[in-house]
């Protein structure tokens, strides 16, 4: 299957004047906010925008001589994505500005964003999804039990600040994973005058929201401009509640790994669409929602705190730390798990079993689907061959 890197090879020579901004462009800019542009791209109100090609040169000069590891769950193709966008007429002259990167491990706060002047009279505000840090993942889990997590509040403030920096210019908001959730949240809760200037909001497999958010007049006003994209076996993007209209796309991966935007199938200037998410994804979604809704808000918060208490007992601050020292991490994590009360420990184990079994079942379902496709292709080849012989 072709992906966003292939798209840059195929259509990167077409400017936005020749072929208008599309959903694939959105995912590319959403992924670029994972790049650490600190010291390269100015923050909000901090200086002149930097052409993308120039920012890429500075980034690779800064990282020259050492491997670029994006972490356990952040795709390592992102530096290559930056390299190809910097070489493409479609993206190279876009100007980057407003880069922020905030991390507070004590308060479990993680927020990063980037503004791209697209050159077609719009600015794309790219909100970074969850990175490699445990703090970022803890904040994600708080989405189920807090009215507003710190990153959502920062996303609203960032949108307002960049709207002030770019007056009278149309805005696009987007992000992948948690970044998609932040984009929608910022679009819903930014000042009304700013909301009117939003041309589109893109949530690329981002978690949803509580029911009461979807029924707000502020959300209803924006709903037709919100574009939600999920892969066929989406788990992350189907968490909590979503707008009814979402696009399901094909993926080259199986199970939870379909969350990786580099696995999404591209044809021309759009993703390859499917009619719906898989049956197993729907069942897992129902099982997770049922489990979450069976807990009170207080129980959810206690669960999140306890889960990360176990992870942080290892001394790790990132998922990469956990992976690198997995053997050393196990013993303190087991001790921390034993210290939990029985109810919390059972809740944590139940949650892990749902995710583990769902990933296994989705993977098997994906293998079965690919096998059936292969048999169908081989059958058609055999028919054509028999026809030629006849």
């Amino acid at each position: 299957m072709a992906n966003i890197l292939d798209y840059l090879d195929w259509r990167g020579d077409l400017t936005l004047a020749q072929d208008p901004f599309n959903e694939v462009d959105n995912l590319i800019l959403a992924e670029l906010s994972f790049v650490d542009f600190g010291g390269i791209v100015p923050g909000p109100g901090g200086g002149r925008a930097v052409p993308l090609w120039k920012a890429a040169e500075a980034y690779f000069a800064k990282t020259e001589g050492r491997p670029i590891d994006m972490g356990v769950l952040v795709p390592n193709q992102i530096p290559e994505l930056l390299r190809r966008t910097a070489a493409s007429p479609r993206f190279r002259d876009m100007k980057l500005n407003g880069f922020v990167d905030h991390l507070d491990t004590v308060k479990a706060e993680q927020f990063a964003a980037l503004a791209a002047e697209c050159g077609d009279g719009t600015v794309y505000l790219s909100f970074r999804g969850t990175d490699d840090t445990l703090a970022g993942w803890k904040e994600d889990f708080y989405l189920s039990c807090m009215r507003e997590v710190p990153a959502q509040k920062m996303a609203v403030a960032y949108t307002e600040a960049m709207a002030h920096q770019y007056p009278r210019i149309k805005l696009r908001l987007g992000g992948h994973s948690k970044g998609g959730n932040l984009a929608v949240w910022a679009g819903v809760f930014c000042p009304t005058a700013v909301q009117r200037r939003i041309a589109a909001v893109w949530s690329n497999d981002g978690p949803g929201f509580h029911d009461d958010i979807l029924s707000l007049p502020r959300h209803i006003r924006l709903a037709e401009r919100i574009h939600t994209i999920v892969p066929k076996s989406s788990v992350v993007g189907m968490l909590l509640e979503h707008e009814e209209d979402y696009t399901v796309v094909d993926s080259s991966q199986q199970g939870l790994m379909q969350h990786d935007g580099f696995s999404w199938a591209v044809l021309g200037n759009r993703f390859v669409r499917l009619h719906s998410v898989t049956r197993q994804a729907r069942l897992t979604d129902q099982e997770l929602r049922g489990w979450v809704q069976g807990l009170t808000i207080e129980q959810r918060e206690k669960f999140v705190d306890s889960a990360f208490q176990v992870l942080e007992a290892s001394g790790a601050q990132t998922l990469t730390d956990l992976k690198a020292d997995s053997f050393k991490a196990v013993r303190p994590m087991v001790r921390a798990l034993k210290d939990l009360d029985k109810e919390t420990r059972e809740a944590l184990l139940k949650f892990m079993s749902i995710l583990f079994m769902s990933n296994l079942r989705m993977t098997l379902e994906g293998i079965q689907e690919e096998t059936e496709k292969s048999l169908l292709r081989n059958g058609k080849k055999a028919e054509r061959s028999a026809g030629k012989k006849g």
Side-chain angles (χ1 to χ4, degrees):
M1 290 182 181
N3 66 6
I4 53 179
L5 293 177
D6 298 303
Y7 167 84
L8 287 168
D9 292 338
W10 294 341
R11 306 182 70 90
D13 60 329
L14 299 177
T15 66
L16 293 185
Q18 295 170 309
D19 186 30
F21 191 93
N22 61 60
E23 61 190 16
V24 185
D25 298 322
N26 137 71
L27 181 61
I28 289 171
L29 292 180
E31 298 287 7
L32 284 182
S33 58
F34 280 98
V35 177
D36 179 11
F37 285 115
I40 298 172
V41 175
R48 295 181 61 182
V50 181
L52 192 153
W53 66 266
K54 192 171 185 178
E57 277 189 359
Y59 174 77
F60 289 117
K62 185 172 71 170
T63 58
E64 188 177 8
R66 61 183 175 86
I68 304 173
D69 186 1
M70 303 301 292
V72 172
L73 293 180
V74 178
N76 274 327
Q77 299 103 311
I78 287 176
E80 178 61 22
L81 180 72
L82 175 61
R83 200 183 303 275
R84 294 197 197 188
T85 53
S88 72
R90 189 169 185 83
F91 289 93
R92 70 186 314 274
D93 293 321
M94 289 186 181
K95 294 182 179 179
L96 306 183
N97 210 333
F99 179 70
V100 296
D101 190 355
H102 169 82
L103 176 66
D104 189 321
T105 57
V106 175
K107 295 181 180 179
E109 298 176 356
Q110 177 258 325
F111 175 77
L114 176 72
E117 301 173 19
C118 296
D120 63 348
T122 68
V123 173
Y124 184 100
L125 304 185
S126 175
F127 296 94
R128 182 186 295 176
T130 309
D131 59 14
D132 197 40
T133 62
L134 292 182
W137 280 97
K138 187 174 183 180
E139 188 179 37
D140 277 6
F141 277 79
Y142 275 137
L143 288 171
S144 70
C145 53
M146 293 178 67
R147 170 71 183 178
E148 181 183 53
V149 299
Q152 289 173 329
K153 188 174 183 179
M154 292 177 196
V156 174
Y158 179 82
T159 300
E160 189 172 359
M162 297 313 294
H164 179 74
Q165 186 166 331
Y166 292 100
R168 297 178 297 279
I169 291 179
K170 287 288 186 180
L171 304 173
R172 294 188 180 100
L173 281 59
H176 178 249
S177 192
K178 184 183 78 171
N181 175 282
L182 297 182
V184 176
W185 185 274
V188 170
F189 290 101
C190 67
T192 303
V194 175
Q195 191 184 71
R196 292 195 192 103
R197 291 168 49 196
I198 295 176
V201 180
W202 302 87
S203 177
N204 301 288
D205 207 27
F209 302 89
H210 300 288
D211 281 328
D212 58 340
I213 300 298
L214 301 184
S215 60
L216 289 176
R218 303 185 63 84
H219 186 282
I220 294 170
R221 287 199 301 267
L222 189 68
E224 290 186 356
R225 288 171 277 168
I226 298 174
H227 306 280
T228 301
I229 303 173
V230 299
K232 59 184 177 181
S233 291
S234 173
V235 172
V236 177
M238 299 304 289
L239 290 174
L240 301 177
E241 301 299 328
H242 257 303
E243 302 79 14
E244 285 303 313
D245 294 328
Y246 53 84
T247 299
V248 181
V249 300
D250 204 357
S251 168
S252 61
Q253 288 281 14
Q254 306 296 339
L256 290 172
M257 295 309 295
Q258 292 185 21
H259 185 57
D260 178 0
F262 285 82
S263 76
W264 297 2
V266 176
L267 182 62
N269 61 358
R270 64 194 306 228
F271 296 113
V272 176
R273 283 161 165 69
L274 301 175
H275 293 300
S276 66
V277 295
T278 64
R279 175 179 174 275
Q280 187 54 56
R282 290 194 298 273
L283 291 175
T284 301
D285 176 44
Q286 291 170 6
E287 192 173 4
L288 280 172
R289 287 193 198 191
W291 180 80
V292 170
Q293 290 169 359
L295 302 175
T296 65
I297 295 298
E298 292 75 19
Q299 287 173 324
R300 295 178 199 178
E301 190 166 351
K302 182 181 179 182
F303 165 76
V304 173
D305 289 336
S306 299
F308 281 87
Q309 176 186 327
V310 171
L311 292 174
E312 290 162 359
S314 66
Q317 292 191 340
T318 67
L319 295 175
T320 299
D321 294 340
L322 279 175
K323 183 180 179 182
D325 297 319
S326 56
F327 289 108
K328 291 181 181 178
V330 169
R331 186 172 294 177
M333 288 171 65
V334 170
R335 282 200 299 266
L337 186 63
K338 287 181 178 178
D339 289 340
L340 299 178
D341 62 79
K342 182 181 178 182
E343 181 184 13
T344 306
R345 185 167 60 249
E346 288 179 350
L348 179 56
L349 293 174
K350 173 67 174 175
F351 175 77
M352 294 302 293
S353 70
I354 291 174
L355 282 186
F356 175 77
M357 290 306 297
S358 70
N359 192 36
L360 177 61
R361 290 192 296 260
M362 285 183 193
T363 299
L364 292 174
E365 186 181 68
I367 292 172
Q368 180 182 357
E369 180 186 335
E370 290 303 315
T371 302
E372 289 173 354
K373 286 181 180 178
S374 178
L375 289 172
L376 183 62
R377 286 194 296 268
N378 290 337
K380 288 181 177 178
K381 286 181 181 178
E383 287 177 8
R384 287 196 295 269
S385 177
K388 288 179 181 178
K389 289 179 181 178

